[in-house]
Amino acid sequence: PRPPPQLDMLASLRIAAPLMQSSALTSPMNEEQATTFLTSDITAANLPERLSFLRRDKGVADDVLVAACDKLGLSGGAAFELTLADIGGDGPECGAVPWDPMGFAEYGKFGSLPAKLAWYRHAEIKHGRVAMAAFVGWLATANGYFFDGFLSRELGIKFADLGTDPLSAWEQMPASGKVQMVLAVGALEVAQETVEPHYLRGGEPGRFPLVRDSVLAPFRQFGIYNGAIKKQLEAQGRTVESLRQEKLLSELKNGRLAMIGMASLYAASVVPDSVPFFKGGIAPFPVG
């Protein structure tokens, strides 16, 4: 007979057979039992999944899990307490509270904490980056800024031949060009999902190191890791990490604005007068 779903998940988390058969897994766990459970074959990568299993499938209380993690000296105890209020990104533009009017991030809806919140944040950062690039591309196309040369020599199409209507430019692009773009995005997605630790298992949402840190090291002197900047920050009682977090927050918020901007541009282009700001049509934006 097929084992119950709980045992399937335990097997996927590589939990030892004696533990799977333990009566501790068939009744509410106390702190001692949760500690024993977490002690078996625990790693930094699978700790969030272990904690999610205990909370979701075994109904172990949060305070019991945190106490068990503290007893074992595991940092995952604090990570497991991650809530919508903890992931940041709030500000005056959303009333200084996390923006979740539909309650998607609530526990028990569409997944479990903390991996669900990490997935949402990773998706938000990624879509924000795409929207920022798309908005810049829209402005460039609408104002007639194109790459020199041919888009397709075989078909005799130059970049400038696509015109200044961004949506029309996409429609006129050769199928081979669209396929290349889709494949390139797919390759980036695959590369991103192979980063360790994974953002659902303790990694940092949005982190996408295409180039190894050892390669970037010589260039860090020109960024926020510059010695002079570090001294200025220290004089202000701040750290490089605090500045990095500020920049990441700026990226997150600019990405949100770009997503709204792209939605507005698209709506105004396909449904006339649907966006009051663009009533009468979208005129080219002055960019220079």
Side-chain angles (χ1 to χ4, degrees):
R2 179 177 176 77
Q6 291 90 340
L7 296 189
D8 280 348
M9 180 156 186
L10 291 175
S12 70
L13 297 177
R14 298 177 295 136
I15 296 174
L19 270 178
M20 289 193 294
Q21 297 171 358
S22 170
S23 60
L25 300 183
T26 60
S27 59
M29 286 186 179
N30 56 31
E31 181 181 326
E32 181 179 351
Q33 292 169 329
T35 302
T36 301
F37 180 87
L38 291 172
T39 303
S40 173
D41 196 26
I42 195 70
T43 68
N46 66 24
L47 177 59
E49 294 180 357
R50 292 289 189 87
L51 294 171
S52 293
F53 169 76
L54 290 176
R55 186 183 192 185
R56 181 184 64 245
D57 296 320
K58 303 308 297 181
V60 181
D62 291 350
D63 58 342
V64 173
L65 290 175
V66 173
C69 286
D70 290 341
K71 182 180 292 186
L72 295 172
L74 299 172
S75 61
F80 186 72
E81 292 183 290
L82 183 70
T83 65
L84 183 61
D86 296 325
I87 63 174
D90 54 320
E93 68 279 356
C94 53
V97 295
W99 177 252
D100 185 30
M102 301 298 291
F104 289 138
E106 293 176 8
Y107 180 75
K109 278 189 178 181
F110 312 108
S112 60
L113 299 172
K116 178 178 67 173
L117 292 179
W119 189 91
Y120 281 146
R121 175 47 53 84
H122 185 78
E124 180 181 28
I125 294 172
K126 181 167 59 176
H127 290 143
R129 290 168 177 169
V130 171
M132 287 188 283
F135 197 88
V136 172
W138 187 294
L139 294 183
T141 301
N143 285 275
Y145 291 91
F146 304 103
F147 290 113
D148 293 329
F150 286 90
L151 172 64
S152 172
R153 288 187 177 278
E154 181 181 6
L155 299 177
I157 300 177
K158 294 185 176 181
F159 285 99
D161 294 335
L162 298 180
T164 57
D165 182 344
L167 295 184
S168 177
W170 170 255
E171 294 174 358
Q172 296 180 59
M173 182 177 294
S176 59
K178 295 179 180 178
V179 170
Q180 289 178 53
M181 294 176 67
V182 171
L183 290 177
V185 171
L188 293 175
E189 284 289 305
V190 172
Q192 192 173 41
E193 292 297 322
T194 60
V195 173
E196 293 293 342
H198 194 273
Y199 57 88
L200 296 183
R201 294 186 291 275
E204 180 181 3
R207 182 169 175 77
F208 194 12
L210 280 177
V211 184
R212 293 183 181 276
D213 288 341
S214 58
V215 177
L216 292 175
F219 301 97
R220 290 191 181 279
Q221 59 179 312
F222 303 108
I224 63 174
Y225 296 93
N226 178 280
I229 295 179
K230 291 179 68 174
K231 290 181 179 180
Q232 292 177 11
L233 291 173
E234 291 172 357
Q236 300 170 6
R238 302 170 62 195
T239 64
V240 168
E241 180 58 26
S242 67
L243 179 59
R244 176 176 176 271
Q245 292 302 322
E246 288 180 14
K247 299 300 182 183
L248 290 176
L249 180 60
S250 296
E251 178 193 34
L252 178 68
K253 293 186 175 184
N254 289 334
R256 290 171 175 172
L257 184 60
M259 287 188 279
I260 295 174
M262 280 307 302
S264 299
L265 290 174
Y266 181 79
S269 296
V270 299
V271 182
D273 298 335
S274 60
V275 180
F277 184 78
F278 295 124
K279 193 173 182 63
I282 302 178
F285 293 84
V287 295

